[in-house]
Amino acid sequence: MKRFIPLSAFLVLAAAPVFCQAPAAGATDPYRAMLNTYCVTCHNARLKTGGVMFDRMDLQSAPADAEVWEKALRKLRGHLMPPPGLPQPPKKDVDSFVSWMEQTLDASTKGPKAGYVPIERLNRTEYAASVKALVGVDVNEKDVLPQDIQIDGFDNIAAALSVSPSFLDQYITAARHIAKLAVGDPDARISNVKYAIAANSNPDDPLPIGTRGGIRFKHNFPADGEYRINLLDLSVGLYTSQMENESTVVIMIDGRIVFRKPIGGPNDLAMAERKGADGRAEIMQRFTKIPVQVQAGVRDVVVAFIDRSHDESDENVGGGSGATGPVGLRLARLGNGVEILGPYNPTGISKTLSRSLIYVCDPKKIGEPACARQITETLARRAFRRPVNADDIDHLMPFYQAGREGGGNFDHGIEQVVAAVLASPEFLFRAIPAPKGTPANTEFALNDMELASRLSFFLWNTGPDDELLKVASAGRLTKPGVMEAQVKRMLADPKASSLVTSFAMKWLNIGDLDAVKPDPVLFREFNDQLRHDFSIEAQDFLSSILLENRSVIDLMTANYTFVNDRLARHYGIPGIVGPQFRKVTLAEKERWGLLGKGAVLLRTSYGDRTSPVLRGAWVLGKIEGTPPTPPPPNVASNLSQTPGEKPKTVRERLEEHRNKAACKQCHGVIDPTGLALENFDAIGRWRTMDSQAKLPIDAATVLPSGVAINGVDDLRTQLVGRPDVFARTVTEKLMTYALNRQLEYFDMPQVRAVVRWAAKDDYKFSSLVLGVVNTEAFRRQGPAPAPKQNAVMAAVAKK
């Protein structure tokens, strides 16, 4: 059961003086002594290493230097400072200093509470989700807009969502196309659209169970009427082996069979062999110009064969059942795609999903002008994410008039309104303007409508729905208990799945598994289907924890996963049959949690080998929240086997590399963590031997904290030994995603407050979400930073 803590309780807790007062001067002496011994040697007024001078900083007034101390704390937690190879303070002294400094900084009431988020355009994922919610049209965002710039793995950071003239052209073109699809065309001309097999093979949208050898795609039928379908090739070619066995062709539209006819068997085989090309053409005549009656709208179309036993004749006994086996060659296949023509004799447009969202009135009942205005008002209110006034509607109505009076009908006028709304800056951009009278350089609270928009894009990747808009427009969203109720409702909605696809997969850097291309010679077992299985497993696993409101610590420790038969074989899990994914309990601990997932292990490898460096950096940055320093430019990173030499393990090659003094400072922190995962090969298989070096895998290592471990299970135990550390990392990433900006030093006390509060609820995901929503960082907007002057402008200003 999901449990939500009231907003009032959180605000009281956040404001309460839960920390002790800063200690007297003598109490800080041990911390000053630690700094003097281990830090001041480099960070002093003479050397100014990193621009930091610890010898000049007063521990009694630490909040005045909060920005420096927050950076230092992250370095200390990650054992990045002092660098490996230099004398290290005892772990208990580091932990004590970090704890004291965090309490000191958190107790301070000075400093900013909210950062500045500039105006931002919808990224392409938000655009597609918003279009779907607004007018019911599915948009493949990759076909509409280019890839957005990513910061910290996220593509929704406002500062990176710039606009160019080419962007605007693409948005306008997309708006026109989407409007046409949404409204439909009762006078649509006959057209033909071809769907090729390769271009429409989507593993995310497989064929229905019980079918094989076909194609599945979405087709827009612009009007009600007759359409004709051509199956361009059913393997009826020069060689007639596919005709030996009878197959049944089916055409399904939105799950309903509209055509069913056999092909092959004794009669078709005899005709093809006796008449040759004429016989084959006669067979194909049965599968051309197939008439079907379809109502307007975007429909799911499947053309496939009914799957059947592959051993129904004596000739198939002992044959394989795979597509490349003997039987696969004797079954008809859809070889060259599908063509759809129409509409013929259109009869109008049914009330499609899109039209039900757009046409909120009947022009025949209240008149076209009044209905057009009502449609415009409803559409604009939902698209602009705020109440609209007469001026807003008056601005849009000329588009209706232009479409209506230019020889078009009512639908043509509405189509122009839809296009105008989708191309409007009010839809494409989000902004938080300061209220009138707000003094310069001051923070201010978001109003209810701005909060509703921020909340909705955070949880759903799209604008507020009618219920949230209604609550916000009435000024009730900030009333006690209302925000909590809306968060609970929205997390239970299917649209909250965007927290998996757009937040978690990108936070963990496993959203783009195509970035790694395993060597086909070294890893013959790997293929694109297995890559897709990795992605499905990761999404199902993340969904089972985040969307079912479990503790986020389960992301590291859960003893289950989701597999189909192919992935189960890859993992060595017995007893799994069939392509469907199902939840399984893992008998072996090495697969528990994120560290055992194929998606993570593949993404942190190279195409020809594992990478303790990539894996160690992934754990430090994604799990512990202490990303290592990026490598210097032009650093040598080639660990390939040297031709002619005896093959070495990755560990041996890496040790040769990091023995260099310049490399050890970073690799001394990164490599030990990554080496604990060496039992997994580059495609995530468990191994005990290095197949190239023919040597046992050594996964024993000593972490930067000084703790000796042996393998992935010990590493996981260390990572969850302090659950607040991982919960803080999740909270930082979640807040970054929610605020659409990178976090600043002044955000960290709020992050720690959310973690302390969520600890009372076992770090449930909903508690982290609600904690973020209740922060001042989420509910307020900071002042815009002063523009940076370049050297020339600074010199001019001085004169």
Side-chain angles (χ1 to χ4, degrees), residues 246-317:
E246 181 179 296
S247 301
T248 302
V249 180
V250 292
I251 299 176
M252 305 169 67
I253 297 180
D254 284 349
R256 180 175 62 91
I257 295 178
V258 297
F259 174 83
R260 178 187 182 116
K261 188 164 289 189
I263 184 173
N267 292 336
D268 282 351
L269 178 61
M271 181 183 298
E273 291 180 341
R274 186 175 63 254
K275 295 184 178 182
D278 291 340
R280 294 192 294 269
E282 189 174 333
I283 293 171
M284 284 303 300
Q285 282 295 318
R286 304 202 306 263
F287 304 97
T288 58
K289 298 181 180 180
I290 301 168
V292 293
Q293 292 290 328
V294 187
Q295 291 185 333
V298 178
R299 307 290 179 187
D300 181 62
V301 181
V302 172
V303 181
F305 298 87
I306 294 178
D307 206 5
R308 52 186 275 273
S309 171
H310 301 311
D311 294 318
E312 294 183 1
S313 74
D314 294 340
E315 295 181 10
N316 293 332
V317 173

Side-chain angles (χ1 to χ4, degrees), residues 602-606 610-619 670-671 674:
L602 173 67
R603 194 64 181 85
T604 54
S605 298
Y606 291 112
T610 59
S611 174
V613 177
L614 293 181
R615 289 177 175 177
W618 186 89
V619 171
I670 301 171
D671 298 356

Side-chain angles (χ1 to χ4, degrees), residues 79 91 702-708 718:
H79 302 281
K91 184 176 184 300
V702 178
L703 296 176
S705 61
V707 176
Q718 290 299 313

Side-chain angles (χ1 to χ4, degrees), residues 191-241:
S191 63
N192 67 302
V193 181
K194 181 180 177 180
Y195 294 91
I197 296 289
N200 291 278
S201 296
N202 182 5
D204 292 325
D205 195 14
L207 294 174
I209 295 174
T211 64
R212 63 160 183 86
I215 183 175
R216 185 173 198 162
F217 54 89
K218 299 283 187 181
H219 179 74
N220 177 55
F221 296 88
D224 299 353
E226 179 184 304
Y227 294 82
R228 297 171 189 171
I229 300 178
N230 294 327
L231 309 187
L232 302 178
D233 178 18
L234 291 175
S235 304
V236 185
L238 180 61
Y239 301 100
T240 58
S241 59

Side-chain angles (χ1 to χ4, degrees), residues 21 39 191 237 268 290 315 399 444 588 591 593 626 657 706 775:
Q21 295 293 322
C39 305
S191 63
D268 282 351
I290 301 168
E315 295 181 10
F399 292 94
F444 59 88
E588 304 298 332
R591 291 286 175 195
T626 56
H657 174 76
T775 61

Side-chain angles (χ1 to χ4, degrees), residues 560-573:
Y560 64 85
T561 192
F562 297 82
V563 297
N564 59 5
D565 54 355
R566 181 172 46 236
L567 187 56
R569 288 194 300 272
H570 188 72
Y571 285 169
I573 300 173

